[in-house]
């Protein structure tokens, strides 16, 4: 039996990536204002079908910039799904606002519960963050309509959802601004990094200034407005350009593996494939639900012993308000989120997963369930 550990992360690097980075090195222009960064941003815009992409230092920074660009700060509230990762809610604290944790629609969905969101609105509510966890599309047009009715900003956290679609739109391109990550665990890998997507030219200019200490373009001075230093370095941008060339191929490969694993799990008693509703998942991971929390824990342990990392088990996945960083923030219980977090199990589905690995994952799941 192979002892190699198969994680969700699978950075795919080859000689084209090395050549791209070496070419950027040869220019000796390595800062976040180097021409290769603009080249990368144009390539991102074409890939995702939007007018503007703004590269930055991380997916967390992308959310932070989106909140700053909309003037969100002290005294404001931002609704965040209780099932979101810590990195989604930290920027809310960073701008001085208060995260309000809302429940999901049911225990088999990352979509926000619209009635629960409605009940948590207050005169201080300024924005709602939508999150497609593990690349599974979540919130559809109904959430956007709710935001429009109440004059709220919708920020899409698509950090794990490169290539996921809801309807005819890519997740991250359906609102005024979308935030994505290019951490090494993602389909587009620059080590660390992120980017924002928007069709709003004024918004793009604001984001550029905010990520570069108040400076919009070369030749201008810093401090034209408030800004931070959230630029993406040139070497990371060069790697991003190279990574984009294989993005479609990686997405297709992962979806094939994802479909095979989901089909195999559909016939296993005791677990249920996580449903993909109103869209297509991107192949970040295969998700399924155990019949009860104890079984989910056993499956996570059994998969780990067999060399397969299950993210919910590894990260002790739980609602956001149960993390120490948010302990001082008043929060009501979110029962659907609690149930979902306790039942969820994941499987890797990247290019490094061989057919024999797929068979071992399924046989491990069967063995644990039978025992």
């Amino acid at each position: 039996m192979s002892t190699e550990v198969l994680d969700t992360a699978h950075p795919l690097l080859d000689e084209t990536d090395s050549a791209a980075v070496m070419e950027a090195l040869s220019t000796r222009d390595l800062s976040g204002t180097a021409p290769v960064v603009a080249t990368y941003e144009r390539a991102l815009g074409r890939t995702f079908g939007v007018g503007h992409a703004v590269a930055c230092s991380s997916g967390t920074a992308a959310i932070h910039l989106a909140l700053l660009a909309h003037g969100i700060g002290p005294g404001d509230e931002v609704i965040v799904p209780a099932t979101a990762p810590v990195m989604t809610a930290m920027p809310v604290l960073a701008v001085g606002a208060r995260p309000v944790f809302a429940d999901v629609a049911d225990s088999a969905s990352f979509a926000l519960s619209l009635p629960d969101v409605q009940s948590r609105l207050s005169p201080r509510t300024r924005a709602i963050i939508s999150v497609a966890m593990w690349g599974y599309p979540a919130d559809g047009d109904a959430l956007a309509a709710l935001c429009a009715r109440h004059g709220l900003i919708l920020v899409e956290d698509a950090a794990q959802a490169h290539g996921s679609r809801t309807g005819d739109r890519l997740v991250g391109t359906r609102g005024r601004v979308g935030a994505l990550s290019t951490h090494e665990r993602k389909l587009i890998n620059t080590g660390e990094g992120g980017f924002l997507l928007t069709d709003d030219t004024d918004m793009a200019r604001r984001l550029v200034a905010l990520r570069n200490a108040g400076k919009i373009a070369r030749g201008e001075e810093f401090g034209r407005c408030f800004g931070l230093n959230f630029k993406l370095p040139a070497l990371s941008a060069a790697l991003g350009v190279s990574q984009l060339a294989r993005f479609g191929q990686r997405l297709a490969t992962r979806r094939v593996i994802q479909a095979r694993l989901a089909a195999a799990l559909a016939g296993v008693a005791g677990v249920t494939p996580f449903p993909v509703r109103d869209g297509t998942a991107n192949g970040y991971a295969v998700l399924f639900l155990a019949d009860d929390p104890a079984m989910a824990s056993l499956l996570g342990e059994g998969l780990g012993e067999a060399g397969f990392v299950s993210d919910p088990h590894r990260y002790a996945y739980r609602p956001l308000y149960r993390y120490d960083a948010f302990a001082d923030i008043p929060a009501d219980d979110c029962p659907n989120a609690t149930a979902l977090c306790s039942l969820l199990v994941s499987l890797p589905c990247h290019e490094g997963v061989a057919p024999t690995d797929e068979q071992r994952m399924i046989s491990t799941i069967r063995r644990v369930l039978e025992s």
Side-chain angles (χ1 to χ4, degrees):
M1 180 181 293
S2 171
T3 57
E4 180 183 1
V5 175
L6 280 174
D7 199 344
T8 308
H10 185 68
L12 190 60
L13 301 167
D14 62 17
E15 63 278 3
T16 63
D17 298 302
S18 301
V21 173
M22 292 304 295
E23 182 179 354
L25 270 173
S26 71
T27 70
R28 298 183 179 274
D29 191 352
L30 306 183
S31 79
T33 58
V36 70
V37 178
T39 299
Y40 175 47
E41 290 173 331
R42 288 191 294 271
L44 286 169
R46 290 192 299 271
T47 299
F48 287 88
V50 297
H52 306 278
V54 178
C56 59
S57 55
S58 70
T60 305
I63 297 172
H64 193 161
L65 289 169
L67 297 176
L68 288 173
H70 287 95
I72 294 172
D76 294 331
E77 294 179 351
V78 178
I79 292 179
V80 181
T83 52
V86 167
M87 290 72 76
T88 300
M90 287 294 192
V92 180
L93 296 181
V95 300
R98 176 194 168 201
V100 176
F101 305 118
D103 207 357
V104 288
D106 58 60
S107 59
S109 173
F110 294 118
L112 281 164
S113 164
L114 297 187
D116 193 64
V117 167
Q118 192 80 40
S119 72
R120 296 175 192 270
L121 295 179
S122 81
R124 294 180 297 278
T125 307
R126 291 286 312 284
I128 297 176
I129 300 179
S130 169
V131 186
M133 291 294 294
W134 282 280
Y136 280 67
D139 300 292
D141 294 340
L143 179 64
L146 183 149
C147 289
R149 285 197 307 273
H150 294 277
L152 303 175
I153 299 151
L154 175 61
V155 175
E156 284 190 283
D157 177 356
Q160 302 175 5
H162 306 63
S164 297
R165 287 184 177 272
T166 297
D168 62 351
R169 297 283 295 184
L170 287 168
V171 175
T173 70
R174 299 175 303 139
R176 193 180 184 198
V177 63
L180 293 90
S181 167
T182 54
H183 182 270
E184 70 173 7
R185 304 183 70 83
K186 306 305 190 292
L187 278 161
I188 302 168
N189 161 34
T190 64
E192 295 284 356
F195 58 94
L196 297 112
L197 301 173
T198 184
D199 282 316
D200 186 319
T201 300
D202 289 339
M203 172 60 65
R205 286 175 59 82
R206 200 174 312 153
L207 291 167
V208 168
L210 283 166
R211 67 135 187 230
N212 193 22
K215 179 180 178 180
I216 296 176
R218 285 194 174 212
E220 292 190 1
E221 62 181 4
F222 293 105
R224 294 284 297 276
C225 62
F226 172 79
L228 300 167
N229 185 2
F230 281 166
K231 298 189 301 296
L232 182 74
L235 297 184
S236 296
L239 180 57
V241 173
S242 179
Q243 288 276 303
L244 277 172
R246 66 170 71 92
F247 172 57
Q249 177 186 356
R250 296 194 75 186
L251 190 60
T253 299
R254 288 175 173 228
R255 281 177 173 161
V256 168
I257 297 171
Q258 186 177 36
R260 283 201 300 259
L261 286 169
L265 285 169
V268 178
V271 296
T272 305
F274 194 84
V276 181
R277 308 176 185 184
D278 303 323
T280 56
N282 71 355
Y284 181 66
V286 175
L287 302 182
F288 60 97
L289 297 164
D291 281 356
D292 59 70
M295 184 55 69
S297 180
L298 288 172
L299 285 167
E301 292 174 7
L303 287 164
E305 291 169 359
F308 303 105
V309 177
S310 173
D311 281 350
H313 184 75
R314 182 237 306 268
Y315 293 122
Y317 187 43
R318 58 195 185 274
L320 275 175
Y321 50 82
R322 293 187 178 173
Y323 287 85
D324 292 345
F326 308 108
D328 295 333
I329 298 171
D332 296 326
D333 187 47
C334 298
N336 291 333
T338 299
L340 173 55
C341 291
S342 71
L343 299 175
L344 200 64
V345 184
S346 72
L347 298 175
C349 63
H350 51 67
E351 301 84 354
V353 176
T356 53
D357 296 319
E358 296 177 36
Q359 294 168 11
R360 284 204 305 118
M361 280 190 273
I362 298 303
S363 63
T364 298
I365 291 168
R366 291 183 182 276
R367 175 178 54 77
V368 172
L369 291 170
E370 290 170 359
S371 66

